Amino acid sequence: MGSAGHEGNAGVAAALRPTDPALLHYRSGAFYCVRAGQAARDAEPDTGREPDADPTGDRDGPTADTSAPAGQATEDDLDRVEDAPPVGGVGHAEEAPRAADPLDDDERPAGETEAASNERPDDDGTGARPDGGAGDGRAVPAARSGQATVSAPVTVGDGASGERRAIDPAYVEAARDVLRGLVASREEPIAGGRHKVFGRADLAVVPTTSTIASHLPRAVGMGLAVERLRRLDARPEPTWPGETPAAAAWAPDAIVVCSFGDASINHASATAAFNTAGWYDHTGLRIPVLFVCEDNGLGLSLRSPRGWVATALRSKPGVRYFAADGTDLVETYEVAVEAAAWVRRHRRPAVLHLTTVRLMGHAGADAESAYRSAGEIRADLDRDPVVATARRLVEAGLASGAELLDRYDEVGWRIRRLAEGVLDEPKLSSPAEVVAPLAPRRPLRVARAVAEAGDRAAGPGAGARVEAFGGKPPELVGPLTLAQSINAALTDGLLDHPQMAVFGEDVAAKGGVYGVTKGLRDRFGVARVFDTLLDETSILGLGLGAGLAGMLPVPEIQYLAYLHNAEDQLRGEAATTRFFSQGAFRNPMVVRVAGLAYQEGFGGHFHNENSVAVLRDVPGLVVAVPARPDDAAAMLRTCLASAAVDGSVCVFLEPIGLYHTRDLYADGDGEWLAGYAEPGAWAGAHVPVGRARVYGVGSAEDVTIITFGNGVRMSLRAASVLADEGVGTRVVDLRWLAPLPVADLIREATATGRVLVVDETRRSGGVGEGVIAALVDAGYVGAARRVAAVDSFVPLGPAARQVLVSEEAITQGARTLLAR
């Protein structure tokens, strides 16, 4: 997918600071090159000479250097740019139409006039151009070679000097980055050959995925996080010697830019993002996001109806509208400066609508002549922004046509040289190399983090902890239910992680549907525990952005069934961040989800969802399912530590049916309750990711039951019945569905030679399939049998018992296994 026709986004880049985080779509070659040039100039040391002066004084043109290794810049590539004044006097765009803003007058500084507030300031208010030129200058980025786009400063002379002009070295390296992505080179700087994306940590360009509009909810989350971090006295996560925090550090007044195509505005993810931005703006919260819609009128072959995009974008409540002709670089730059300054000043969302053209088809082998007339294609060629820029330069007397054609050819030649250099670069060559950045596990550091949290809670943080718990820490209260234990662990987490935030539907004022987050808002305030609008895509998007900005988000999805509305935010966005950035970016997150079946008195498939297949299928995702209260607290501490230390994305699946369970074998026995570990015991009670828990009933020599969640309690009750019949049982609580505790499974299965897998999820695509496969792959040769839920949605009322696993089915399954 090429950038030809979308070079106007170079003007957007020039209007921003190189430290403003950017999430770019696939036609952003010009933006990327300009951003690289900005960052290089900002990093350039003061040598006492003009920045672009040739230190050698050699102006005789490039000299080939055949000794340079493939993929490295040669003398040809690194010719210095001549000294040049800015290109000026090329016109001024009219102010873009924009929606009325009821807060303009309220937020305008005292004494400032309406006219003054509508002036177009430089992006940082200093009068300095972000590209290093004068405040009234015009940087003209443009040059095309096929579908590769590179930006270069056009220098000004008398047009007759014959002097050769050079490409900025930063643009050369940016073009090389793009070309490396095209050939899946291992040397590509962000994905390392795993994907063709625009991204570089030092440019604050966050890689995005192929899923249409899926990065927009993250952008809203980033904007909200930038503002919240300004208000939180948050210390960074502890690091170890030689290690730097992985989270990005953006300026307090940074704004987030997010670009996308016109067809994307119709996607549910885009609708969610715009709605969330407007919703929060309406409530008074600040979200400094500049959405950039690059409208070429086509979504592959489907045309956007004339006027639809402008109408749709103008109508977004709470989102300021700006528009410009994206084929006119000067107008684009001027309006982008105005839009960026407005967002930066007001800390509110806006959308910049750029009308562009798409040249050379959608992507790859797309033959657009199959669905577009020759006249339409010619009309777009007439609006080519590179040609339009050249025409403007000639009309202004700043360059001759011949001069520009020579430059065009020279740039094309250089791009071809770069392409030839990257073709033979090494590719990823082994499975281990491919998955290396996916989800690193450092269990010793995670265990150390848990222990150190306990030391802080028992030491310097003891007073604050006692106060947070109202004078009575949970370890002194007595045995707790699952819900109470999770509440206590969340409290301890918020105390230990100052950048942690808990949010979701009804989690703050109400304290959660089941009371799990009760009291947290009162203890920690609305900045750290807050209610969201009812949209799971946006909830996860907020978490994704917050994690990327350096927070430790703990979003709640109210019911497991609701997750299916938004699962791409986990699969396509959260789980791929490290993979597509080689660990340069990460979005640590612990997603709490109330789920599974067996609710008493409250049913139906939405509140008793028992399918987790979509979660176990996501590479690198950690899926935890605590059954016992003591495990719940320890596992939540592990998930928080893993997110903080390794940047893990964890799903903490809480069995609704066990939230308030107190008894195990008989009414009133209280054997399902458990004490809460005091901080000094956290290290000893630590539950590593991927480790099971084993219960022995009777002799524990006859059969092994492997289960999780509600199945643990049912299996222990069934084991008690079997013990009365003289059968000894090992009940293995998986605790972690991803990664599975394979070593523990093999050990416990081999101990008895008979395995009964009790799976409360559905028979097809259920957890049991993975357990049986793990046993087979490890060479287990004993007997095995499975008890699972029927492939059905969970019905209402007593009918649910017909499709769910029961204690009787477990007992009978074990008897059948023993009879073989």
Side-chain angles (χ1 to χ4, degrees):
M1 188 175 290
S3 300
H6 284 249
E7 287 84 0
N9 56 42
V12 179
L16 297 164
R17 297 175 186 170
T19 53
D20 288 330
L23 297 92
L24 305 178
H25 72 138
Y26 281 4
R27 302 191 190 278
S28 301
F31 184 111
Y32 184 78
C33 289
V34 171
R35 173 61 67 91
Q38 290 173 314
R41 283 186 286 275
D42 277 7
E44 204 170 67
D46 185 2
T47 61
R49 62 179 177 83
E50 291 296 317
D52 292 327
D54 187 339
T56 66
D58 180 7
R59 304 215 180 249
D60 294 331
T63 303
D65 181 2
T66 57
S67 64
Q72 300 297 314
T74 65
E75 289 265 37
D76 292 350
D77 303 324
L78 303 178
D79 285 344
R80 292 289 180 177
V81 179
E82 293 182 82
D83 300 340
V87 180
V90 290
H92 189 77
E94 295 181 1
E95 184 173 356
R98 57 186 188 178
D101 186 344
L103 294 185
D104 272 357
D105 291 334
D106 293 340
E107 296 193 356
R108 187 175 300 119
E112 183 179 356
T113 66
E114 173 71 26
S117 71
N118 285 334
E119 290 176 358
R120 298 182 180 89
D122 293 297
D123 67 326
D124 58 2
T126 65
R129 286 269 291 129
D131 61 359
D136 60 350
R138 301 287 184 267
V140 184
R144 187 193 319 286
S145 177
Q147 289 197 28
T149 303
V150 62
S151 294
V154 176
T155 60
V156 177
D158 59 11
S161 64
E163 294 175 345
R164 301 191 68 173
R165 294 163 173 79
I167 304 173
D168 187 324
Y171 294 164
V172 172
E173 292 307 314
R176 197 190 316 275
D177 290 347
V178 176
L179 291 167
R180 282 172 165 161
L182 291 173
V183 300
S185 167
R186 193 173 60 194
E187 304 302 317
E188 192 272 331
I190 191 69
R194 292 168 184 83
H195 200 15
K196 182 249 176 191
V197 294
F198 289 109
R200 250 176 63 186
D202 61 318
L203 303 184
V205 176
V206 181
T208 62
T209 68
S210 300
T211 311
I212 293 174
S214 65
H215 59 298
L216 272 67
R218 182 202 291 268
V220 175
M222 290 168 66
L224 184 65
V226 166
E227 284 302 286
R228 285 191 176 271
L229 285 172
R230 294 206 303 173
R231 293 165 171 76
L232 291 177
D233 181 20
R235 67 177 185 269
E237 284 295 328
T239 58
W240 282 264
E243 195 174 67
T244 57
W250 297 309
D253 66 341
I255 68 174
V256 180
V257 62
C258 174
S259 63
F260 51 95
D262 54 292
S264 295
I265 71 167
N266 305 303
H267 198 278
S269 297
T271 300
F274 278 115
N275 183 70
T276 302
W279 189 89
Y280 277 114
D281 185 79
H282 186 77
T283 67
L285 292 178
R286 296 299 182 240
I287 298 184
V289 177
L290 177 60
F291 297 102
V292 180
C293 178
E294 299 187 20
D295 177 8
N296 62 33
L298 287 164
L300 210 158
S301 66
L302 181 66
R303 294 172 177 81
S304 294
R306 185 178 298 276
W308 164 247
V309 176
T311 300
L313 294 178
R314 283 177 182 273
S315 66
K316 302 297 183 185
V319 181
R320 185 70 168 265
Y321 178 84
F322 297 84
D325 180 355
T327 65
D328 184 329
L329 298 190
V330 175
E331 178 180 330
T332 297
Y333 170 73
E334 289 177 337
V335 178
V337 165
E338 181 183 8
W342 189 89
V343 174
R344 199 179 307 279
R345 176 188 171 203
H346 294 287
R347 318 304 294 164
R348 297 178 60 194
V351 60
L352 172 59
H353 179 198
L354 299 179
T355 53
T356 64
V357 292
R358 189 191 75 186
L359 305 180
M360 306 182 193
H362 173 71
D366 174 39
E368 60 179 337
S369 59
Y371 53 86
R372 301 186 73 194
S373 69
E376 286 180 278
I377 296 172
R378 280 197 303 272
D380 276 357
L381 287 171
D382 290 341
R383 295 181 61 211
D384 184 336
V386 173
V387 176
T389 302
R391 186 182 300 117
R392 183 184 286 269
L393 290 171
V394 172
E395 290 172 352
L398 299 172
S400 69
E403 187 177 17
L404 292 175
L405 284 172
D406 285 345
R407 181 165 183 76
Y408 180 90
D409 289 340
E410 182 176 349
V411 170
W413 171 76
R414 291 174 185 273
I415 292 294
R416 285 190 290 274
R417 286 284 305 275
L418 288 175
E420 291 167 359
V422 303
L423 279 173
D424 294 328
E425 288 184 350
K427 309 297 189 291
L428 296 170
S429 57
S430 71
E433 196 175 9
V434 171
V435 303
L438 182 61
R441 300 272 183 263
R442 295 182 290 183
L444 294 181
R445 291 192 178 182
V446 170
R448 177 178 166 184
V450 170
E452 290 177 347
D455 292 341
R456 288 190 292 270
R465 184 170 183 269
V466 170
E467 182 180 355
F469 282 109
K472 202 165 186 180
E475 61 268 22
L476 303 180
V477 172
L480 306 179
T481 63
L482 183 75
Q484 292 169 333
S485 187
I486 294 171
N487 180 279
L490 286 171
T491 301
D492 275 322
L494 285 161
L495 286 167
D496 192 60
H497 300 276
Q499 77 283 41
M500 176 175 158
V502 175
F503 53 91
E505 300 168 13
D506 303 304
V507 302
K510 182 177 175 63
V513 174
Y514 299 95
V516 179
T517 55
K518 184 178 180 180
L520 295 184
R521 186 186 67 170
D522 295 339
R523 295 171 191 163
F524 298 99
V526 295
R528 300 188 64 196
V529 181
F530 58 94
D531 289 323
T532 65
L533 71 176
L534 274 64
D535 176 52
E536 286 70 29
T537 294
S538 295
I539 292 171
L540 294 179
L542 293 176
L544 287 166
L548 200 63
M551 296 179 68
L552 182 55
V554 183
E556 177 186 300
I557 300 299
Q558 198 167 78
Y559 290 101
L560 177 58
Y562 298 173
L563 178 66
H564 301 313
N565 302 333
E567 53 202 28
D568 182 58
Q569 291 295 301
L570 285 178
R571 180 198 176 279
E573 292 290 321
T576 62
T577 300
R578 290 192 65 106
F579 186 68
F580 290 147
S581 71
Q582 301 183 90
F585 293 100
R586 65 183 202 171
N587 40 230
M589 185 163 60
V590 179
V591 185
R592 293 182 46 252
V593 184
L596 303 176
Y598 300 98
Q599 276 197 90
E600 294 293 334
F602 190 49
H605 70 283
F606 266 101
H607 303 100
N608 281 281
E609 172 65 286
N610 63 337
S611 174
V612 298
V614 69
L615 295 174
R616 294 191 60 250
D617 185 56
V618 179
L621 192 69
V622 174
V623 181
V625 183
R628 296 293 299 264
D630 49 347
D631 278 342
M635 292 168 69
L636 184 54
R637 283 191 289 269
T638 297
C639 287
L640 292 172
S642 183
V645 171
D646 290 330
S648 301
V649 181
C650 305
V651 173
F652 196 75
L653 183 56
E654 302 165 6
I656 298 173
L658 297 176
Y659 266 150
H660 305 298
T661 299
R662 307 177 69 87
D663 306 322
L664 176 54
Y665 298 114
D667 291 345
D669 67 14
E671 292 196 34
W672 200 254
L673 301 174
Y676 190 86
E678 62 181 3
W682 289 357
H686 174 56
V687 177
V689 173
R691 292 303 307 272
R693 179 174 181 173
V694 182
Y695 302 85
V697 181
S699 67
E701 295 178 352
D702 300 311
V703 65
T704 299
I705 299 178
I706 298 175
T707 188
F708 64 95
N710 294 286
V712 177
R713 182 172 180 271
M714 290 189 293
S715 295
L716 287 171
R717 289 169 63 87
S720 178
V721 173
L722 292 170
D724 292 341
E725 300 173 5
V727 177
T729 306
R730 295 171 182 247
V731 177
V732 180
D733 179 2
L734 293 172
R735 299 196 290 197
W736 307 92
L737 304 188
L740 283 171
V742 176
D744 295 335
L745 297 184
I746 303 306
R747 182 188 66 247
E748 298 304 322
T750 303
T752 65
R754 300 182 186 90
V755 171
L756 178 66
V757 179
V758 175
D759 180 6
E760 64 175 292
T761 63
R762 299 168 194 161
R763 177 168 292 275
S764 297
V767 175
E769 290 182 347
V771 172
I772 295 294
L775 292 173
V776 172
D777 288 348
Y780 173 73
V781 294
R785 185 177 176 83
R786 182 161 58 118
V787 176
V790 175
D791 287 342
S792 168
F793 298 107
V794 179
L796 189 64
R801 302 189 189 115
Q802 306 303 314
V803 298
L804 297 176
V805 173
S806 66
E807 294 171 21
E808 293 75 15
I810 297 171
T811 306
Q812 187 56 46
R815 291 174 181 143
T816 301
L817 193 62
L818 289 164
R820 287 184 177 179

